[in-house]
Amino acid sequence: PILVTFGDKADCETFVAAVEDQLEQQLCALPTEEVARVAVRENGQVFFCATEDEAVQVTDLFAPEHLEVLVKEGSNRVADKLQHYGGLFIGELCAEVLGDYAAGPNHTLPTGGTARSVGGLSVFTFLRVRTWMQSRPEMRAGDGHMVSDAAALADLEGLKAHAASARLRLPQSNGHAFSPEARA
């Protein structure tokens, strides 16, 4: 577990002490105390942040699998600022366990900070996205802006065959794909 807190340092220290006391009580009551205690000791961290925005930034860097937002005021405001998490639980009555087993969309969420780039398992995981393109006469109309833009970008990337393929589709190509500057 990671605790990110912000505001007055003395208030934060008092809050963290209360959380640590509660954590100790709950660890002692667990039948898996030994394993849980090792997990907390090796993975638990506390971050004291000066501002709400700094706390959001620190949290987004971790991109946690589960993220509970518990603040005195403005839980939704804080939640709206967060970008990287697997599952978000807002308010004191909402908890990870509810998302995992009762109210949440799933129990398979990104771990190890991977929530910065992927979401949790969902129906979209099993869908295959396919893209397609169809040519139309208007693509060649006028000076063929889209085609000439594609050729220019391909040239910039050094992909001369791609550029030549685009140029063949220009109205003025007459079957000539390579220009003298394309060969340079």
Side-chain angles (χ1 to χ4, degrees), residues 40-52:
V40 169
R41 183 176 58 246
E42 291 182 3
N43 301 303
Q45 298 181 51
V46 174
F47 291 92
F48 294 95
C49 299
T51 66
E52 179 181 302

Side-chain angles (χ1 to χ4, degrees), residues 8-9 21-22 32-33 40-41 52 67-68 82 92 101 126 128 130 132 143 152 158 162 169 177:
D8 177 74
K9 183 142 173 89
D21 287 346
Q22 185 59 225
T32 56
E33 174 186 358
V40 169
R41 183 176 58 246
E52 179 181 302
L67 175 57
E68 292 184 23
L82 294 160
E92 65 183 50
Y101 299 115
F126 301 98
R128 181 174 58 122
R130 296 177 297 161
W132 58 274
D143 66 353
H162 276 44
R169 286 147 177 88

Side-chain angles (χ1 to χ4, degrees), residues 96-118:
E96 174 188 332
V97 65
L98 298 177
D100 283 351
Y101 299 115
N106 68 63
H107 184 58
T108 308
L109 299 170
T111 60
T114 57
R116 281 187 293 277
S117 58
V118 296

Side-chain angles (χ1 to χ4, degrees), residues 13-76:
E13 288 172 349
T14 301
F15 174 67
V16 168
V19 169
E20 288 175 341
D21 287 346
Q22 185 59 225
L23 182 59
E24 181 59 32
Q25 289 176 35
Q26 291 184 29
L27 285 171
C28 289
L30 284 176
T32 56
E33 174 186 358
E34 189 176 316
V35 172
R37 194 171 291 284
V38 170
V40 169
R41 183 176 58 246
E42 291 182 3
N43 301 303
Q45 298 181 51
V46 174
F47 291 92
F48 294 95
C49 299
T51 66
E52 179 181 302
D53 287 340
E54 182 184 353
V56 167
Q57 187 177 25
V58 166
T59 303
D60 275 344
L61 285 174
F62 272 93
E65 176 182 5
H66 301 98
L67 175 57
E68 292 184 23
V69 175
L70 305 166
V71 295
K72 288 180 184 175
E73 296 176 1
S75 293
N76 286 326

